[in-house]
Amino acid sequence: MDVTLCIYDLTGGMAKAMTGPSGAFSGMLDGKTVDMVPHTSVRAFGSEIVFAGGVRKQPAAGMRDMMGRAPDRLEAMGATQKTEAELDAFLVSVAPSWTAASYDLWTKNCNNFSEAVVRFLCGRSIPAWILELPNEIRPTPLGQVIAPMMASQQDALKNQLARGGGLIEAVPSPPPPAPEGPTMTVTVKAAAAGGEGPKKLTVSATATVGDLRELLQVDGAPRFVFMGKLLKDDAKTLKSYGVKDGLVILVVGARMSSSPASSPAPAA
């Protein structure tokens, strides 16, 4: 089964005009022209899968009517060996981590979700420029100007796609069971100002950095920092980095899940 990445320009061509040679932001991106600000979805098994107010799987044939236009680009991602049943199970499993509340314009958006789906189906990444663009334009004057417009476009898009249904319901995760054996309590909070509030977690005294990542339901991109030190090895225990009961760990680079997964079992 072939897998296709659908790419839509949220700005309708405005980004290219603004960053081109005669545009208002010409020269403010080191001479680079931004061709588009992409919104993406993934087509497979006759459906289009998208992150819009949650995880949605809708008939591809009706997407043009709901979007009001065809994709600006189509990128072949290759063939998948997964079955549609496996895809459906995957979407149900990730839906609690991809909700309307968890959406972030710059760090957890439709393109990040398309990346997760394509990696599951094809074991490869979507085009790098799509994932790198937010880091390139966010700190620039262009980023400040188009951010409200993109947020408005995303809201309109979410409402359009909601009419087509297809929402994969996010089943709340059960409360995590208390770890067996010795435990410690750590507080995890976002390093950036305005991030999510702190989370107090009880973990095994032998929990690793990878266990913490799994508990918070974040992938390999976010980084954990403790006392100015990067916790870069997922295989190492938190204690090996000096983390003790009652101390604070910072998370950099992504939102944390609002529903932590089950606590990791202590090492034997």
Side-chain angles (χ1 to χ4, degrees):
M1 173 59 63
D2 290 336
V3 178
T4 302
L5 184 71
C6 305
I7 308 173
Y8 303 83
D9 181 9
L10 281 176
T11 70
M14 187 179 298
K16 187 172 184 178
M18 292 172 71
T19 60
S22 59
F25 293 93
S26 176
M28 293 188 181
L29 291 171
D30 295 326
K32 180 178 179 179
T33 297
V34 177
D35 289 333
M36 65 166 67
V37 176
H39 160 82
T40 61
S41 55
V42 179
R43 284 185 185 172
F45 301 102
S47 297
E48 197 153 325
I49 302 129
V50 64
F51 178 38
V55 175
R56 296 186 183 277
K57 182 187 178 195
Q58 300 171 318
M63 288 302 295
R64 180 163 186 157
D65 290 338
M66 284 186 284
M67 293 291 297
R69 57 196 172 98
D72 293 277
R73 297 184 193 175
L74 294 172
E75 294 270 355
M77 294 288 101
T80 182
Q81 300 303 311
K82 303 288 188 182
T83 66
E84 186 170 10
E86 288 174 318
L87 171 61
D88 290 342
F90 169 76
L91 296 177
V92 169
S93 72
V94 301
S97 299
W98 296 89
T99 63
S102 72
Y103 176 85
D104 184 275
L105 180 64
W106 299 107
T107 63
K108 193 167 186 178
N109 54 45
C110 57
N111 303 322
N112 302 117
F113 178 70
S114 293
E115 165 76 357
V117 174
V118 169
R119 280 201 173 277
F120 172 76
L121 289 174
C122 301
R124 58 165 293 183
S125 182
I126 67 175
W129 69 268
I130 295 176
L131 299 174
E132 294 168 359
L133 187 62
N135 292 330
E136 294 180 9
I137 68 173
R138 183 178 186 178
T140 69
L142 175 64
Q144 304 307 309
V145 169
I146 68 174
M149 178 178 67
M150 289 194 296
S152 177
Q153 288 281 358
Q154 285 286 3
D155 286 341
L157 185 62
K158 179 177 67 176
N159 292 333
Q160 284 175 260
L161 294 176
R163 294 198 296 268
L167 183 67
I168 307 294
E169 294 293 339
V171 180
S173 301
E180 298 177 2
T183 62
M184 62 179 176
T185 300
V186 296
T187 299
V188 182
K189 68 178 184 178
E196 293 186 32
K199 296 180 183 293
K200 186 169 288 189
L201 305 173
T202 300
V203 300
S204 166
T206 58
T208 65
V209 176
D211 291 334
L212 180 63
R213 193 180 300 283
E214 183 177 349
L215 184 61
L216 292 171
Q217 297 182 17
V218 294
D219 58 22
R223 297 289 188 173
F224 299 116
V225 178
F226 174 70
M227 301 293 286
K229 182 188 298 182
L230 182 64
L231 311 188
K232 59 184 179 181
D233 189 342
D234 278 14
K236 286 189 174 182
T237 65
L238 297 175
K239 272 194 170 183
S240 72
Y241 284 106
V243 178
K244 298 179 181 178
D245 186 64
L247 298 182
V248 176
I249 298 172
L250 301 179
V251 60
V252 181
R255 287 175 176 245
M256 298 176 289
S257 170
S258 58
S259 301
S262 297
S263 298

